[in-house]
Amino acid sequence: MKIAVFCSANSNIDADFFSLTEQLGRWAGENGHTIVFGGCNMGLMECVAKAAHIAGGMTIGVVPMVIERGGRASDYTDVTIPCDNLSDRKSLMMDQSNVFVALPGGIGTLDEIFTVTASATIGYHQKTMILFNIKDFWKPLISLLDYLGQNNMVRGDWREYIKVVETLPQLIALLNDIHHRS
C-alpha cells in the first residue's frame, strides 16, 4: 500500500509527535508499505521517511524544485518525483497514494487535507483521508468540521471522507482494514 503522509516540516515541535511518527514509519517499512511524502529533510517529513527507509520500506518523495534548490531534499527518498510547485506536489501525491494520513502540521498540511477531501467529495477519487489526532492536535479542526456540518456547509457527514484516529494501534488497524479491502 502507498501511504501518503502529510505533516510538519518543522523540528521545534512536541517530541511525542516525532516518537509516534517514527513508529508509523517503522511499521510501514517493516510491513512492506511505501511512504509517499513531501520529500523535505526537516521535521516530521524527514522522521517518517527515515524510519520507513531504515526499516526496509520504500519512500517516494514528491519534491518541489524550490525545496531541491534550497538543499532541503531528504536523503531518505528512494524515488524522487520532482515537481514545479505545491499544486503539482498535491496532485502527484494523490495519484501516487492509496490512502492519506495527516500527522500534526500547519498551513501546508491543512491545504493537503482539504485538497484530498474536496476531491473525494466531488468524486475524483474514493481514497480515505485519516487525521491522526495525536494529543488532540486536530481537536480544533474536528470542532470546525462539526460546526460546518451543523450549518449544512458540508454535504453529508464529513466523517464519510475524513476518518479520525487517536492512537497508533487505531491508525494501524484502519490502514490494515483499508489495505485488505483494496
Side-chain angles (χ1 to χ4, degrees):
M1 181 167 52
K2 291 181 178 177
I3 304 166
V5 178
F6 302 139
C7 58
S8 177
N10 292 326
S11 296
N12 189 22
I13 57 176
D14 191 315
D16 291 340
F17 298 164
F18 283 96
S19 176
L20 287 164
T21 298
E22 181 180 355
Q23 291 173 54
L24 172 62
R26 187 177 328 112
W27 170 83
E30 289 172 350
N31 288 278
H33 301 298
T34 298
I35 294 292
V36 180
F37 75 115
C40 187
N41 66 1
M42 301 180 331
L44 299 180
M45 275 197 227
E46 179 79 336
C47 180
V48 72
K50 181 179 180 180
H53 180 84
I54 289 172
M58 172 156 310
T59 60
I60 298 174
V62 183
V63 185
M65 286 188 292
V66 69
I67 300 285
E68 185 77 39
R69 282 194 305 264
R72 296 185 316 243
S74 176
D75 291 332
Y76 298 101
T77 302
D78 296 306
V79 175
T80 299
I81 301 174
C83 60
D84 291 331
N85 56 51
L86 296 178
S87 294
D88 288 344
R89 180 200 246 176
K90 289 181 295 187
S91 180
L92 288 163
M93 288 180 78
M94 282 198 311
D95 291 344
Q96 287 292 319
S97 305
N98 307 109
V99 62
F100 309 91
V101 176
L103 303 176
I107 293 170
T109 303
L110 287 170
D111 180 40
E112 292 161 334
I113 291 167
F114 287 116
T115 296
V116 166
T117 304
S119 296
T121 65
I122 58 176
Y124 282 111
H125 65 80
Q126 296 175 344
K127 301 173 186 179
T128 303
M129 177 77 246
I130 304 168
L131 296 180
F132 187 7
N133 192 27
I134 302 170
K135 297 176 83 171
D136 275 339
F137 182 83
W138 293 116
K139 186 176 181 178
L141 178 61
I142 292 165
S143 294
L144 174 61
L145 290 166
D146 285 339
Y147 177 80
L148 292 172
Q150 292 161 4
N151 286 280
N152 298 315
M153 296 296 172
V154 178
R155 283 184 211 98
D157 183 356
W158 65 266
R159 292 180 193 317
E160 293 174 30
Y161 305 101
I162 302 174
K163 306 300 180 196
V164 179
V165 297
E166 305 294 330
T167 67
L168 187 60
Q170 288 174 348
L171 176 58
I172 290 171
L174 181 55
L175 289 170
N176 281 329
D177 183 56
I178 290 166
H179 180 62
H180 293 303
R181 281 189 278 133
S182 57

